[in-house]
Amino acid sequence: MKKLFAGCIAVSFAAMLAACGDDSSSTSPDASGNESSSSVEDVSSSSVILSGDSHEGSGPSSSSGPSSSAASSESRALVSGGVWPKFLWDGSADEEGRVVTGSDGETSGYWYDFNDIDDGGSSKFTFPPDIKKACDENWYTGTCYEFMMETYGGLKGTVKLGAGADNPYVGLGFNILNEDQDGADISEWGGLCLEYSSGLKFQVKIVPEYDLTILECDFIASIGASESVKMVDIPWSKFKSSCGFGMDIDAAKVLANAAAVHLRFEGKAGDSGEFLLKKIGSLGQCGSGSAPVSSSAVAPKSSSSGVAESSSSAKLIIGNMLWDGYNDRGAGQVETGGDSRTSGYWYQFNDRDNGGTSALQFPSDVDTLIYDSPFPELIEKYRGLQLGVAFGSGFDNPYAGVAFNVWSEEQEGVNVSPWGGICLQYKSSIDFEIELGLEDGAIPTMGSCSFVARVPASTSEKVSDFVWEKFKNNCGAGVSPDLTDVLKKVASVRLKFSGAAGTTGDFLIQRIGAVGMCHDMIPAGP
């Protein structure tokens, strides 16, 4: 088997092109000669390929040592699209820069980079000095890529978005079937998982085969920045149209004709951040930290709780939960992994049951008298929860707010520990609290107490992470239980606004999610 890029094992994406070819050449032109956010990227055979020797056949043999594929013997039967129903690329076990998808194509799965050079840009990846040095000194031996995997356990580099293009971008990807980018049916993957760290947010994009490049919008999922290595699951339901609400995309058609997977960084010129990719695979394959967590693994509730624990029904939440008002598509629903028919829908609450008169104030162009919830219309028009709040008399501590149920409208408790906390992208004229609502009767000793995190007012848009350690019992120290027990029985997440009777405030909630998922180019708050 001949080596791809014979005589030069390209490892450093953009930085090593100087050793392997012309640095000014395009790495991923599309059919029109451009690789832009409005068109589907097509990586031709001129792309830089990170490789060693190609595999003979469709995958590593049993005598080839540790495999980077997680496909078991029972899952290796090819689906109709010509790929395994499960796969895993693990950088620590890879020696040639190839994602083994199950395709028998000799050029499938090799990592390559793409950038905005054809659009006049200058964005690129740069690699750690030790990796560049090793590649410069050992390019002829083919051990350069192996050195990076041994040193970092994955693809390690710095993303640098440069000037010149209207919308700077750079990324890396792999072809699922072959370098001709024929389509494969990847529906059975269920989604994708990642183990990564990144100083910038990025997108995971499913690139369809050439015949579908007429699609105006891309099929993408947004991934939050994370300075520490984390594992996330991205079910297909998290992938949305890049054009936002009103410009739908046929997800089934894209998944049935998928040609490549791209990780794409975009932003403004001058943005940069470290990036490390340790694993990528089908949904749930990256490890126990990636798969949704089952509350059936939690110790049974005590008999004093009065709530029976069902050992037969596992409650699975999405570990990398994120609601983005811009991509809500008018549903008014936070996707948590709970019952899709009743979980996650936004609703309002106030002090009326306590004799108060506080209320939320919707914009005048949103119909609040409709039979169904006004939240879908609100979100569609304002790309988030844009509301006012008026605190009335009748209750000693006036309050009102918005909330969603994590598991179902019956407010069953579930373990939300994997979220690591709550992130928000918001602005608000007044302070408010994130309150964890518990399953009814789950912890009798709590009484009227709850665990809350204080959110400071901000007149400008702000992104903040509130790790679980920031949540405190609002009854003070000495009241049981501790936070660890509470996190196993969370039924709802409430954004609660309080104030003196006669006062008002206004707020906008644009995103809410697990810690790290809300981050964008906006500086993160404390």
Side-chain angles (χ1 to χ4, degrees), residues 165-379:
D166 291 338
N167 299 294
Y169 65 85
V170 68
L172 57 115
F174 62 89
N175 295 327
I176 297 168
L177 275 186
N178 52 45
E179 65 182 349
D180 296 326
Q181 293 203 323
D182 292 323
D185 187 345
I186 61 172
S187 305
E188 289 193 36
W189 288 355
L192 295 172
C193 68
L194 298 175
E195 181 177 349
Y196 77 99
S197 63
S198 178
L200 299 175
K201 73 158 190 175
F202 59 99
Q203 297 172 342
V204 179
K205 173 180 172 181
I206 305 302
V207 182
E209 65 182 352
Y210 178 76
D211 288 345
L212 295 182
T213 57
I214 57 172
L215 295 173
E216 295 181 1
C217 307
D218 295 329
F219 192 50
I220 62 171
S222 296
I223 308 298
S226 176
E227 296 299 333
S228 59
V229 174
K230 68 184 294 185
M231 291 184 184
V232 296
D233 265 340
I234 319 161
W236 294 139
S237 61
K238 281 289 185 180
F239 285 74
K240 309 294 183 183
S241 167
S242 62
C243 298
F245 180 77
M247 292 291 286
D248 292 343
I249 193 168
D250 190 336
K253 182 178 290 186
V254 173
L255 294 174
N257 300 275
V261 175
H262 282 185
L263 309 182
R264 178 186 172 106
F265 299 82
E266 57 183 51
K268 63 180 183 296
D271 288 335
S272 66
E274 299 295 316
F275 176 72
L276 171 63
L277 179 66
K278 296 177 73 69
K279 294 179 183 178
I280 186 170
S282 52
L283 192 68
Q285 292 298 304
C286 290
S288 59
S290 165
V293 174
S294 167
S295 62
S296 63
V298 177
K301 299 175 183 177
S302 64
S303 57
S304 63
S305 70
V307 179
E309 175 73 14
S310 172
S311 60
S312 61
S313 58
K315 297 176 181 177
L316 308 176
I317 64 167
I318 296 173
N320 57 322
M321 180 269 294
L322 174 66
W323 176 82
D324 185 336
Y326 186 83
N327 292 320
D328 179 85
R329 301 158 65 90
Q333 183 181 26
V334 181
E335 296 180 16
T336 63
D339 181 352
S340 62
R341 296 169 297 176
T342 63
S343 70
Y345 286 101
W346 285 107
Y347 60 87
Q348 56 183 311
F349 64 90
N350 53 47
D351 55 18
R352 298 293 175 98
D353 288 344
N354 297 310
T357 54
S358 302
L360 296 180
Q361 298 174 321
F362 285 75
S364 59
D365 60 346
V366 174
D367 183 3
T368 60
L369 300 179
I370 60 174
Y371 174 76
D372 206 354
S373 168
F375 283 99
E377 181 183 357
L378 172 71
I379 295 165

